[in-house]
Amino acid sequence: NDSADGSFEHPLKTIEQAKNAAGIISQNSEGDVNVILRGGIYNVGDGVEFDKSSTGKASAKINFKNYADEEVKISNSTSISPDKFKLVSDENTLKRIPQEARGKVYYVNLPSIGIDDLGAVSREGKDYGDRAGSRMLTVNDERFNLARWPNNGYALIDESFAVANGHKFSYSENKGDRWKTADEAWVYGFFNVLWADDSLSVKSIDCENKTISTATKHYYGMLSGKPWYIYNLIEELDVPGEWYLESSTGNLYVYPKE
């Protein structure tokens, strides 16, 4: 209860309120202020911001610690019960899923269970950080991978072409028309120098000519022979531990591990 006094007998409910209360106490204290977190999962929604007022002062630092040996987890995720998932049976969806994974992929419609904020796939790389602000799925505390190809390692850019906007490059692997329906894909790689990674949203894929066009440019340009992979497409949801979220429907697809 965030209206409580924050004592052991009457604890506050949220980390945010405990942080605020500790900040006020520390201003009139000559000793450290300890915020004790009981075991459990604390969902912080959009996060908790710590500034000078929540770190205390030299003579009264604010310490956050768990109680005894109790396990504390801080999360901004939403839990989904496994019984909400159903085996994919829709014929149009099954056509997009690789044949070897059909009958093994499950889905749940997120808006139907009250999850309307679907987030987004965000740019990552040297100048953009990691995917901390992007969509993420964990199952039993294990982070699953957005469906990708190749499943491990990288492919190499066959040839890079000069275009006015974004980039255009070709690939040599024979993927047929599998990616024809992929409308939310991204490519990640080291498109020029090998110390600058980046991810670019895909604008279009020409399956016949085996070329991919991106919506944005990599700061250092794109060269032939550089490593890359494509991700965030149900068309490559082919191994256990992968997932895909369809923005247009809110359907979350998961290929669970045994």
Side-chain angles (χ1 to χ4, degrees):
N1 184 338
D2 275 345
S3 298
D5 60 16
S7 64
F8 187 87
E9 294 77 15
H10 304 100
L12 294 166
K13 180 180 180 180
T14 65
I15 293 179
E16 178 72 25
Q17 188 59 29
K19 178 202 72 171
N20 294 338
I24 294 173
I25 293 172
S26 69
Q27 298 307 310
N28 301 309
S29 174
E30 292 304 319
D32 289 355
V33 177
N34 294 319
V35 178
I36 308 300
L37 303 177
R38 297 301 304 264
I41 299 175
Y42 294 82
N43 195 301
V44 296
D46 294 329
V48 178
E49 183 177 350
F50 291 88
D51 53 24
K52 290 183 179 180
S53 66
S54 53
T55 56
K57 55 186 180 180
S59 61
K61 296 179 181 178
I62 300 176
N63 304 307
F64 290 78
K65 58 179 67 177
N66 63 310
Y67 177 75
D69 293 326
E70 295 181 358
E71 184 178 21
V72 173
K73 293 183 178 181
I74 299 174
S75 172
N76 68 343
S77 63
T78 302
S79 297
I80 304 173
S81 174
D83 61 14
K84 300 294 183 182
F85 288 82
K86 300 178 181 179
L87 195 65
V88 174
S89 59
D90 176 70
E91 291 187 6
N92 290 328
T93 303
L94 287 172
K95 289 178 182 178
R96 297 180 64 190
I97 295 174
Q99 186 171 357
E100 61 268 31
R102 295 172 190 171
K104 302 175 183 177
V105 175
Y106 293 77
Y107 84 101
V108 61
N109 181 262
L110 297 182
S112 72
I113 58 173
I115 303 176
D116 297 310
D117 184 358
L118 305 181
V121 177
S122 60
R123 193 169 184 176
E124 64 167 310
K126 175 183 177 295
D127 298 315
Y128 302 94
D130 59 22
R131 293 181 189 168
S134 189
R135 289 173 177 169
M136 184 185 302
L137 177 72
T138 59
V139 179
N140 296 326
D141 292 329
E142 179 182 356
R143 183 171 172 174
F144 274 31
N145 294 319
L146 277 168
R148 53 165 285 182
W149 179 88
N151 289 319
N152 297 289
Y154 298 85
L156 297 178
I157 293 173
D158 189 42
E159 184 177 359
S160 177
F161 306 97
V163 292
N165 300 306
H167 292 292
K168 181 178 180 180
F169 67 94
S170 62
Y171 54 91
S172 58
E173 291 75 15
N174 183 19
K175 303 300 292 184
D177 61 356
R178 175 183 286 192
W179 295 345
K180 185 177 181 179
T181 51
D183 56 3
E184 294 187 282
W186 286 65
V187 289
Y188 171 88
F190 297 83
F191 302 114
N192 191 300
V193 291
L194 296 181
W195 46 262
D197 60 330
D198 200 354
S199 57
L200 308 170
S201 60
V202 172
K203 181 171 64 176
S204 63
I205 302 176
D206 185 336
C207 296
E208 182 177 355
N209 294 304
K210 296 195 289 189
T211 61
I212 294 176
S213 297
T214 67
T216 53
K217 279 187 176 294
H218 175 52
Y219 182 81
Y220 299 101
M222 180 177 286
L223 299 176
S224 303
K226 296 301 180 178
W228 69 284
Y229 65 77
I230 189 169
Y231 67 100
N232 197 49
L233 64 172
I234 195 173
E235 290 78 5
E236 291 297 338
L237 184 55
D238 60 350
V239 294
E242 287 191 331
W243 67 284
Y244 169 73
L245 174 55
E246 187 174 51
S247 297
S248 60
T249 62
N251 286 339
L252 169 63
Y253 299 91
V254 182
Y255 191 159
K257 293 187 175 182
E258 294 297 333

